[in-house]
Amino acid sequence: MHIILLGPPGSGKGTQAKNIASEYGFVQLSTGDMLRAAGNSGSKLGLQLKAVMDEGKLVSDEIVIGIVQERIFQNDCAAGYMLDGFPRNLLQAKKLDTMLAGQNQQIDLVIRLCVNDEVVVRRIAGRRFHVASGRSYHVEFNPPENEGKDDLTGEALIQRADDNEDIVKSRLNIYREQTEPLVKYYEEKSILVTIEGMGTPNEIFAKIKVALAQHS
Ligand code: AP5
Ligand code: MG
C-alpha cells in the first residue's frame, strides 16, 4: 500500500502514522521529520531550512521533491509506505504521480484527517516532541510516562519552534490555500477517504483500520 496522510497541522498525521507503522509495517515517510533532521545537521543549507520551517512557511518544492524521490524507492519502502506531510501543493502532487508512474507505481489511498482550528491550536500548544524519532506527546491528551522524557529512549522532549500560536495560525492559512486543493485532486481520482479526526487517537485509528480494510 502506498498511502498519503493529508491534514492540517496537529490533525494527528504523525500520531496515526506511528500506529499504522506498528500494526501494518508500512514505513512512515515524514517530510517534516526529514527536513528537521537536515535542519539540525548544522550545514548551511540545514540552517536555511530550519529558518523557513521555524517561521511555518513551506520549504521549496525542489528540495522536498528531491528528498522524497531519493527515499521513496529504497528497499524498505517495498513493504508499503505512508507519506506524512507530502505532497503539500498541486505541483508536489503532480510530480509525485510522475515519479511513481515512472516505476509503475501509484498512490492507493489518501487518508484525510479533519479537525477544526480550535482543536489544532490546543493540540499544538500542548505538544511535546522527540526530535530523533518524530514521536509526539501531549501534556494533557497523551502525556509521556515521565514528564519531559521520551518513553522509549528517556531523551528530553522539546517544543517545536513552529508550535506557537501565531505561527500555527499562519501554518493553517498555508494549509487552506496550498494544501486543501489536494482534496479535490484526489477525490477526482477516487482514492480519498475522509476521517473525522476528533476523538481519542485510538478511536481515530479504529476508523483508519476500517478504511484500510476496505481499500486493500
Ligand atoms: P510537519 O512536521 O509535517 O508539520 P505539520 O504538517 O504542520 O503537522 P504536524 O507535525 O504539526 O501535525 P501532525 O498532523 O503530525 O500531528 P501530531 O500527530 O503530531 O511540517 C513542518 C514543516 O516542514 C512545514 O511547516 C514546512 O516548513 C516543512 N515541510 C514539511 N513537508 C513539506 C512539504 N511537503 N513541502 C514544503 N515544506 C514542507 O499531533 C499533534 C498533537 O496532538 C500531539 O501533541 C499529539 O499527541 C496530539 N494528538 C494527536 N492526535 C490526538 C487526538 N486524537 N486527540 C488528542 N490529541 C491528539
Ligand atoms: Mg507531524
Side-chain angles (χ1 to χ4, degrees), residues 78-89:
Y81 54 77
M82 297 159 277
L83 288 162
D84 161 7
F86 181 92
R88 258 175 151 97
N89 58 33

Side-chain angles (χ1 to χ4, degrees), residues 6 34 83-84 94 96 118 123 129 143 155 167 169 191 198 203:
L6 186 66
M34 293 180 214
L83 288 162
D84 161 7
K94 288 178 180 166
L96 174 65
E118 201 185 310
R123 286 189 186 173
F129 198 70
E155 288 166 356
I167 291 184
K169 284 183 184 152
I191 53 171
M198 321 279 251
E203 284 165 354

